Amino acid sequence: IVNPEASEGEVNEAVNADWGNEGVFQTALKSNRSATANTVLGAVRARHNDIQKIERTMLELQQLMEDLASTIVLQDAPIQQIEQHTENVKHDTEAGNVQLDKGITSAKRARKLKWWCFFICIAIVCILALVLGLYFGLNAKK
């Protein structure tokens, strides 16, 4: 009844054993308590192992954070240089846009001046042709 899976040899040993004052059932209770204690001990060891695993994970995480912090510190100077170069590019681009606006205005004025020069030259040629035509035309009639 106590151990239904006991072999014939174990049953014979239990029958022939001297149980003293305790008896079969007292011994069975003690062995059951021992099994319970072993089960509790196994659970405690499992928890202990889990806690140690968590501790190792936390240490790895701490090391990872320290590595990340040192990487950030090392990358600070290049990032500052990049920001400075970006500001310089922004300033140079704005100055270039101002120069382009001046160039466009100057080109428009130059084209306008070319047209004025062209019309003045045409007017001079027309006046010169008129004067020469009148001079030679009036001289030819005399």
Side-chain angles (χ1 to χ4, degrees):
I1 295 174
V2 175
N3 188 1
E5 298 175 3
S7 66
E8 282 295 321
E10 291 173 340
V11 170
N12 288 333
E13 183 181 325
V15 169
N16 295 330
D18 181 25
W19 296 102
N21 295 334
E22 294 178 350
V24 174
F25 296 107
Q26 287 292 330
T27 305
L29 283 175
K30 285 183 180 178
S31 67
N32 190 19
R33 287 181 187 159
S34 174
T36 303
N38 284 336
T39 303
V40 170
L41 178 63
V44 168
R45 286 182 179 163
R47 285 185 190 157
H48 178 70
N49 290 337
D50 289 342
I51 290 171
Q52 285 181 335
K53 183 178 178 184
I54 290 171
E55 182 182 8
R56 284 191 303 271
T57 304
M58 294 294 285
L59 289 173
E60 290 172 2
L61 184 61
Q62 177 188 5
Q63 183 62 39
L64 182 65
M65 290 297 184
E66 288 174 1
D67 292 345
L68 181 62
S70 65
T71 302
I72 289 172
V73 168
L74 291 175
Q75 293 296 323
D76 189 41
I79 289 173
Q80 294 297 328
Q81 288 178 347
I82 290 169
E83 287 178 358
Q84 182 62 39
H85 289 304
T86 304
E87 288 296 321
N88 291 343
V89 167
K90 179 182 174 188
H91 180 266
D92 292 344
T93 303
E94 289 172 355
N97 285 337
V98 169
Q99 292 296 322
L100 282 173
D101 290 340
K102 287 181 182 179
I104 290 169
T105 305
S106 176
K108 285 180 182 179
R109 275 188 279 147
R111 270 188 248 115
K112 192 175 188 180
L113 182 62
K114 284 180 187 178
W115 281 108
W116 277 104
C117 289
F118 175 71
F119 289 128
I120 291 172
C121 288
I122 295 288
I124 290 173
V125 168
C126 289
I127 292 172
L128 188 59
L130 182 63
V131 169
L132 288 175
L134 288 176
Y135 176 73
F136 287 115
L138 290 179
N139 280 340
K141 290 185 181 179
K142 289 189 187 174

